[in-house]
């Protein structure tokens, strides 16, 4: 038994008491419990707008919590096995960036895989830390980057003993896990902090027979996207820390960028969702795994598709696999993942999490149903029959190893010029280019633009990938560093 009764939800309880008190509002928000914006109240319901309130004595303050929010954070820390937990309302982007800003300062080196979410590199743009990339292996069949090998991390640490931190994805968007415990032990032995992007790993803390969680592995910080697999409202997240971090300093870092007007809808959703997982998580995630395993078996019977799982584990670059992830490689039916993604949405009213060059991903969580899975399986059968074709000449590689020439911060703020895409080969990019989702940059500020990268951008755009990042929304031009600046 822990210190706290995990069946409680202190923020939710305080909001219910606030509702009963019928307080007269002479504060923000200006809609005044929905009365000033009836269309909003009709859309969201009185139950929702009635508790869209501002910080006040009875409801605590996220910037400096002393009562119900503080209690909710302490209960979350216990549920996740962390020393401290911070409620975050700026998405897991804010959690990831707070990790990096807490561990690194301008000029510090941080070791990380290049297949990170853009939020990591954005943090480097903000604070001037220097990325030292571990380039992961590629699975050419699946077209995805794998985890970091322990030997790769060890070599990088030896080459850069002055690095202050190591960042690890646990798991990647596609469910791939590195040997986190070994990486933590190695980094700590060299005095380096370990930061873990667990945007897609909330369930590791509550399910059985799951990959190792960051806190269990002894990591110093972890960004946990509760809204993805944990059931809270979109944009809500947790930042977890181990015993080696100063929570007061981390709070100061968070308050540099996090809003002073936190949404109590988001805070309450974190509180309630933590309670739900603490009480019922094992049972719920066992059902998720069962549904995913059934779906993989049925999809692989169709032919042409490959829904992969733990058979990929090799003890190194794929140390473990998240079996809740239902990623389907589509190249065998002659269609890019993004093409199958579009067909599922446009022809079958099925919204997948992502479609890339080679895969589609169905993000399974506690709210999925068997009948919906049957609908997806049936649609994939029809797509293969109606649209399948020869796959000769299809592009497969999602990840391209970068050539880093300038730090992200220096490149982002340097003097730049805009050039047509076709004229940028050999120049240094000063902005991001990525397919979203997954939001892993194809190009980041400070990286050399190569012929292979240009080919990939053109191919992905033609296939219909949602391309984001550059100033030019059509991605016909890119900002590059002026040659004299170099």
């Amino acid at each position: 038994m822990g210190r706290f009764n995990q069946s409680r939800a202190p923020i939710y309880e305080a909001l219910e008491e606030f509702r009963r008190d019928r307080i007269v509002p002479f504060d923000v928000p200006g809609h005044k419990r929905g009365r000033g914006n009836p269309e909003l109240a009709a859309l969201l319901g009185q139950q929702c707008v009635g508790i869209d309130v501002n910080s006040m004595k009875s409801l605590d303050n996220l910037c400096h919590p002393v009562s119900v929010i503080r209690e909710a954070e302490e209960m979350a820390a216990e549920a996740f096995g962390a020393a401290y937990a911070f409620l975050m309302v700026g998405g897991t982007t804010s959690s990831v960036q707070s990790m990096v800003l807490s561990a690194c300062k301008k000029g510090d080196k941080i070791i990380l895989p290049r297949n990170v979410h853009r939020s990591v590199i954005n943090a480097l743009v903000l604070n001037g830390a220097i990325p030292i990339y571990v380039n992961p292996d590629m699975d050419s069949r699946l077209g995805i980057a794998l985890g970091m090998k322990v030997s790769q991390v060890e070599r990088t640490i030896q080459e850069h003993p002055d690095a202050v931190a190591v960042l690890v994805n646990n798991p990647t968007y596609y469910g791939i896990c590195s040997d986190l415990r070994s990486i933590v032990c190695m980094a700590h032995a060299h005095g380096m902090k370990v930061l873990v992007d667990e945007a897609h790993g909330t369930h590791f803390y509550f399910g059985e027979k799951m990959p190792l969680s960051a806190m269990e592995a002894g990591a110093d910080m972890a960004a946990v996207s509760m809204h993805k697999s944990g059931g809270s409202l979109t944009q809500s997240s947790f930042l977890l820390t181990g015993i080696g971090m100063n929570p007061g300093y981390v709070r100061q870092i968070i308050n540099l960028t996090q809003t002073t007007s936190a949404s109590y809808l988001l805070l309450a959703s974190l509180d309630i969702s933590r309670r739900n997982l603490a009480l019922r998580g094992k049972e719920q995630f066992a059902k998720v795994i069962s549904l995913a395993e059934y779906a993989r078996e049925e999809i692989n019977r169709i032919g042409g598709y490959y829904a992969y799982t733990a058979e990929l584990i090799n003890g190194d670059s794929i140390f473990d696999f998240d079996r809740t992830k239902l990623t389907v490689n589509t190249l065998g039916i002659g269609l890019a993942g993004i093409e199958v993604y579009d067909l599922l949405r446009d022809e079958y009213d099925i919204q997948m999490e992502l479609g890339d060059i080679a895969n589609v991903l169905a993000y399974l969580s506690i709210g999925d149903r068997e009948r919906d899975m049957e609908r997806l399986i049936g649609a994939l059968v029809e797509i293969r029959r109606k649209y399948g074709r020869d796959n000769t000449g299809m592009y497969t590689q999602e990840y391209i190893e970068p050539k880093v020439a300038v730090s992200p911060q220096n490149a982002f703020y340097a003097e730049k010029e805009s050039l047509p895409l076709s004229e940028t080969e050999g120049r240094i990019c000063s902005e991001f280019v990525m397919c979203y989702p997954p939001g892993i940059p194809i190009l980041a500020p400070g990286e050399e633009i190569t012929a292979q990268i240009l080919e990939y951008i053109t191919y992905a755009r033609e296939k219909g990938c949602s391309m984001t990042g550059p100033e030019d929304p059509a991605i016909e031009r890119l900002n590059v560093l002026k040659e004299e600046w170099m």
Side-chain angles (χ1 to χ4, degrees), residues 14 67 74 85 100 142 160 162 166 270 334 364 367 386 433 459 479:
S67 58
E74 291 173 343
V100 176
L142 304 180
H160 300 275
D162 54 339
V166 179
L270 283 169
L364 304 188
K386 293 171 64 175
V433 183
Y459 183 89
N479 288 338

Side-chain angles (χ1 to χ4, degrees), residues 115-127:
N115 58 325
V116 291
H117 189 263
R118 68 168 295 172
S119 58
V120 177
I121 303 176
N122 281 346
L124 305 183
V125 169
L126 292 174
N127 78 344

Side-chain angles (χ1 to χ4, degrees), residues 2 15 54 123 143 156 233-234 246 273 350 391 450 452:
L15 284 170
N54 196 27
T156 306
L233 290 178
T234 297
N246 178 347
S273 298
I350 295 173
N391 63 2
T450 65
Q452 186 183 19

Side-chain angles (χ1 to χ4, degrees), residues 34-243:
R35 293 192 298 271
N37 195 340
E39 291 86 357
L40 180 67
L43 173 66
L44 300 180
Q46 188 57 46
Q47 188 84 355
C48 177
V49 296
I51 58 171
D52 180 34
V53 294
N54 196 27
S55 297
M56 60 186 72
K57 189 173 182 179
S58 62
L59 296 179
D60 209 353
N61 188 303
L62 185 60
C63 293
H64 185 75
V66 295
S67 58
V68 293
I69 294 178
R70 181 61 177 265
E71 187 177 4
E73 290 185 337
E74 291 173 343
M75 294 178 74
E78 181 179 272
F80 282 88
Y84 300 93
F86 300 87
L87 277 65
M88 307 292 288
V89 295
T92 306
T93 286
S94 66
S95 298
V96 168
Q97 292 180 344
S98 294
M99 284 198 307
V100 176
L101 296 177
S102 295
C104 305
K105 299 180 176 64
K106 185 176 179 64
D108 284 345
K109 295 179 181 178
I110 177 172
I111 296 169
L112 66 162
R114 176 54 176 75
N115 58 325
V116 291
H117 189 263
R118 68 168 295 172
S119 58
V120 177
I121 303 176
N122 281 346
L124 305 183
V125 169
L126 292 174
N127 78 344
I130 309 299
I132 305 299
Y133 290 127
V134 174
N135 289 304
D137 289 351
M138 282 292 305
D139 186 309
S140 57
R141 176 188 177 189
L142 304 180
I144 61 172
L146 306 180
M148 293 191 294
K149 292 180 176 180
V150 171
S151 59
Q152 293 173 325
V153 177
E154 182 178 26
R155 182 173 62 251
T156 306
I157 287 175
Q158 290 172 350
E159 293 172 352
H160 300 275
D162 54 339
V164 300
V166 179
L167 187 141
V168 187
N169 295 318
N170 191 52
T172 68
Y173 220 141
Y174 302 92
I176 306 296
C177 297
S178 301
D179 183 354
L180 186 56
R181 193 189 300 278
S182 294
I183 292 172
V184 168
C185 291
M186 188 187 310
H188 284 174
H190 289 81
M192 301 177 187
K193 300 293 187 186
V194 178
L195 318 178
V196 183
D197 182 347
E198 269 183 329
H200 303 285
T202 304
H203 44 291
F204 291 2
Y205 291 88
F206 301 99
E208 292 185 313
K209 298 179 181 178
M210 294 282 187
L212 193 68
S213 71
M215 290 296 104
E216 189 178 358
D220 298 284
M221 304 185 79
V224 179
S225 196
M226 192 67 164
H227 73 91
K228 289 186 170 69
S229 61
S232 66
L233 290 178
T234 297
Q235 204 173 306
S236 58
S237 176
F238 281 118
L239 176 59
L240 310 176
T241 68
I243 58 175

